[in-house]
Amino acid sequence: MTAIDDATAFARLPLPAAVLFDWDHTLVDAWGAILAAYNDVMIAFGQPPVLTPEEGRLRIRRSMRDTFPDLFGDRWQEAALYFKSAYAARHLDLLTAMDGAADLLDLLARAGVPVGVVSNKQGPFLRAEAGHLGWTSRFTALVGAGDAARDKPDAAPVAMALAPMAVAAGPDVWFVGDALVDMDCATAAGCTGILLVHDGASLDDGALARASIRVVDCRHLHDLVTSAMGLT
């Protein structure tokens, strides 16, 4: 694994024909609303709640249609509706942009690199949050859970996000995210996985092993892109 401060190694990555981002804990912080809604549904359906944000970030990775059947059995669709209602009641009020995210998106726009999002957040919530931040026009595609035939880590949502860009999946497509499911998705699609480690509290060895390179956060990635592309 490449060191997070190795700019020389970063410069060896293929320049991006497109960049796909995860959403939660990558470009935005919505964990307050996610954890509250998750605990609401867990308690309502007789399950133990998540006790810490770190535990939540490790457990809440895959989409509802991939995880709720195991958690709630035959009642999973009822539980999914409960979660959606609990999340809808608070998510826009608690949403904030991650430090450096807007600057990174601006830099990629100036470089003429098309940008999209592939998230395991439900598509309507994802697009509502992008609109709330005034970010919708920044993205060629905003693909959430349920939009493609399958969700991350399957490659299907990557193909959907790249289609309007007329870009084929490959090493010159960067997939930027903070979790194992993102790096697995990058691998499945044949893209270059860039892992944001943040403080490292919620990472596991699998995510670190699968990433092509790891960086601290959006601001660190902004600085590396600036240097690698000769931008200012």
Side-chain angles (χ1 to χ4, degrees):
M1 173 53 62
T2 304
I4 60 177
D5 59 353
D6 191 346
T8 302
F10 184 88
R12 289 197 293 268
L13 293 181
L15 292 177
V19 179
L20 301 178
F21 288 94
D22 174 47
W23 187 244
D24 292 307
H25 210 228
T26 296
L27 293 177
V28 304
D29 183 354
W31 276 108
I34 293 170
L35 288 172
Y38 187 81
N39 280 338
D40 282 353
V41 70
M42 295 295 279
I43 292 168
F45 285 76
Q47 301 275 8
V50 172
L51 299 180
T52 67
E54 290 73 25
E55 180 187 358
R57 288 179 183 131
L58 285 172
R59 289 175 56 180
I60 307 170
R61 291 300 192 185
R62 293 177 178 257
S63 65
M64 283 192 292
R65 65 176 167 179
D66 288 339
T67 58
F68 272 36
D70 290 337
L71 287 172
F72 303 109
D74 292 342
R75 299 184 69 194
W76 81 267
Q77 291 176 313
E78 180 186 354
L81 289 174
Y82 194 104
F83 175 90
K84 290 176 185 179
S85 178
Y87 186 72
R90 51 170 69 94
H91 73 123
L92 296 182
D93 292 334
L94 299 178
L95 181 72
T96 59
M98 297 293 284
D99 181 49
D103 290 341
L104 175 58
L105 294 174
D106 287 344
L107 179 71
L108 292 169
R110 292 199 304 274
V113 178
V115 173
V117 171
V118 174
S119 173
N120 270 345
K121 173 167 282 173
Q122 290 286 300
F125 286 135
L126 168 65
R127 290 181 281 276
E129 291 179 3
H132 180 73
L133 293 171
W135 285 8
T136 301
S137 63
R138 294 177 180 269
F139 302 108
T140 304
L142 287 159
V143 179
D147 292 335
R150 291 167 299 281
D151 302 322
K152 288 189 305 186
D154 195 273
V158 170
M160 176 175 280
L162 292 176
M165 304 177 190
V167 172
D172 62 347
V173 174
W174 294 358
F175 195 114
V176 183
D178 71 305
L180 174 59
V181 68
D182 301 312
M183 299 303 100
D184 281 345
C185 187
T187 299
C191 300
T192 293
I194 297 178
L195 182 69
L196 304 185
V197 302
H198 298 296
D199 59 8
S202 60
L203 290 175
D204 60 36
D205 291 340
L208 294 170
R210 284 167 176 75
S212 298
I213 196 165
R214 51 190 171 130
V215 299
V216 174
D217 52 23
C218 287
R219 193 159 298 285
H220 185 203
L221 182 55
H222 172 282
D223 293 345
L224 289 169
V225 171
T226 299
S227 176
M229 292 187 172
L231 302 171
T232 58

